[in-house]
Amino acid sequence: NAGVTQTPKFQVLKTGQSMTLQCAQDMNHNSMYWYRQDPGMGLRLIYYSASEGTTDKGEVPNGYNVSRLNKREFSLRLESAAPSQTSVYFCASNRGLGQIDTQYFGPGTRLTVL
Amino acid sequence: AQSVTQLDSHVSVSEGTPVLLRCNYSSSYSPSLFWYVQHPNKGLQLLLKYTSAATLVKGINGFEAEFKKSETSFHLTKPSAHMSDAAEYFCVVSETQTGANNLFFGTGTRLTVIP
């Protein structure tokens, strides 16, 4: 039982390049989330998927797209990377039982955009 | 609207002394509150959560937190700090009654433990 896994762990991009961050969970969770973490700002929600087949914007969605490929996988795509997207990205998942439900986090992807 | 304020960006304690990390929240509803810990270059791990049962919540590694509605606080404490407690701690409030829950994070408190 690996929990939440993310690939890659590290990535360096040039401005304007595109890439997809991958996330998978093996806990049979319904809901999945993408966050970014910037120094001194805690984590902020980019997009989430309440259940397979649905996605919704979070607090900071601009410049990103997501795909809930199936129940296990939730990917985050940067179509044209910008230096402002340099951050650490975390994927999370939970059962989707509302506000009492614990979210489980992956190890993160550290992205640098030059 | 939900929000969380962590009153100290950095706390430094000596090993074996008590730890107090302060958190105040703002919530329109009866909130669910969490404390997560992040060790350097690692993901986030749940320490404990409050979901309107007991107001004193016990978590892992000897940590506990008390929900005080009158003070809108959810401070994290531990009687005796250990070197392995050095990490970043996040107070988090959760909203949404059903389905996916949106988490609102504080800006974090970095705990340093001095040997």
Side-chain angles (χ1 to χ4, degrees), chain A residues 31 33 35 37 40-43 45 48-50 59 90 94 96-107 110, chain B residues 29-32 34 36 38 41-44 46 49 51 90 94-103 105-107:
Chain A
S31 300
Y33 311 79
Y35 294 87
Q37 182 179 28
M41 299 188 73
L43 275 71
L45 183 65
Y48 67 99
S49 170
E59 182 184 356
F90 288 98
N94 65 5
L97 301 180
Q99 68 176 49
I100 66 169
D101 202 10
T102 301
Q103 289 187 18
Y104 296 88
F105 287 81
R110 187 173 295 273
Chain B
Y29 308 102
S30 180
S32 290
F34 304 75
Y36 280 86
Q38 183 180 31
N41 300 313
K42 300 287 187 185
L44 283 81
L46 179 71
K49 68 178 180 181
T51 59
F90 293 97
S94 173
E95 70 166 5
T96 306
Q97 299 297 313
T98 59
N101 57 330
N102 293 347
L103 299 185
F105 283 75
T107 52

Side-chain angles (χ1 to χ4, degrees), chain A residues 34-38 41 43-47 56-65 76 85 87 89:
Chain A
W34 276 106
Y35 294 87
R36 60 178 288 171
Q37 182 179 28
D38 300 298
M41 299 188 73
L43 275 71
R44 293 179 293 168
L45 183 65
I46 304 171
Y47 270 94
D56 286 285
K57 295 178 180 179
E59 182 184 356
V60 288
N62 291 345
Y64 305 95
N65 285 302
L76 178 71
Q85 294 178 307
S87 189
Y89 292 86

Side-chain angles (χ1 to χ4, degrees), chain B residues 60-79:
Chain B
I60 61 171
N61 301 333
F63 284 95
E64 61 182 39
E66 186 172 8
F67 174 73
K68 291 187 177 180
K69 187 173 181 179
S70 61
E71 299 176 10
T72 60
S73 69
F74 190 57
H75 301 334
L76 182 70
T77 60
K78 182 174 180 178

Side-chain angles (χ1 to χ4, degrees), chain A residues 1-99:
Chain A
N1 189 335
V4 180
T5 56
Q6 294 181 235
T7 56
K9 284 186 167 50
F10 301 94
Q11 184 70 49
V12 179
L13 294 178
K14 295 181 180 177
T15 297
Q17 288 185 316
S18 63
M19 78 160 296
T20 300
L21 280 64
Q22 306 287 354
C23 174
Q25 51 88 12
D26 62 1
M27 296 175 281
N28 199 35
H29 285 167
N30 292 311
S31 300
M32 298 185 73
Y33 311 79
W34 276 106
Y35 294 87
R36 60 178 288 171
Q37 182 179 28
D38 300 298
M41 299 188 73
L43 275 71
R44 293 179 293 168
L45 183 65
I46 304 171
Y47 270 94
Y48 67 99
S49 170
S51 60
E52 188 178 353
T54 69
T55 61
D56 286 285
K57 295 178 180 179
E59 182 184 356
V60 288
N62 291 345
Y64 305 95
N65 285 302
V66 291
S67 295
R68 183 73 181 268
L69 304 170
N70 47 55
K71 192 171 185 179
R72 288 187 65 248
E73 298 172 289
F74 188 39
S75 62
L76 178 71
R77 183 161 178 83
L78 287 70
E79 291 290 353
S80 179
S84 61
Q85 294 178 307
T86 293
S87 189
V88 182
Y89 292 86
F90 288 98
C91 179
S93 72
N94 65 5
R95 293 168 295 173
L97 301 180
Q99 68 176 49

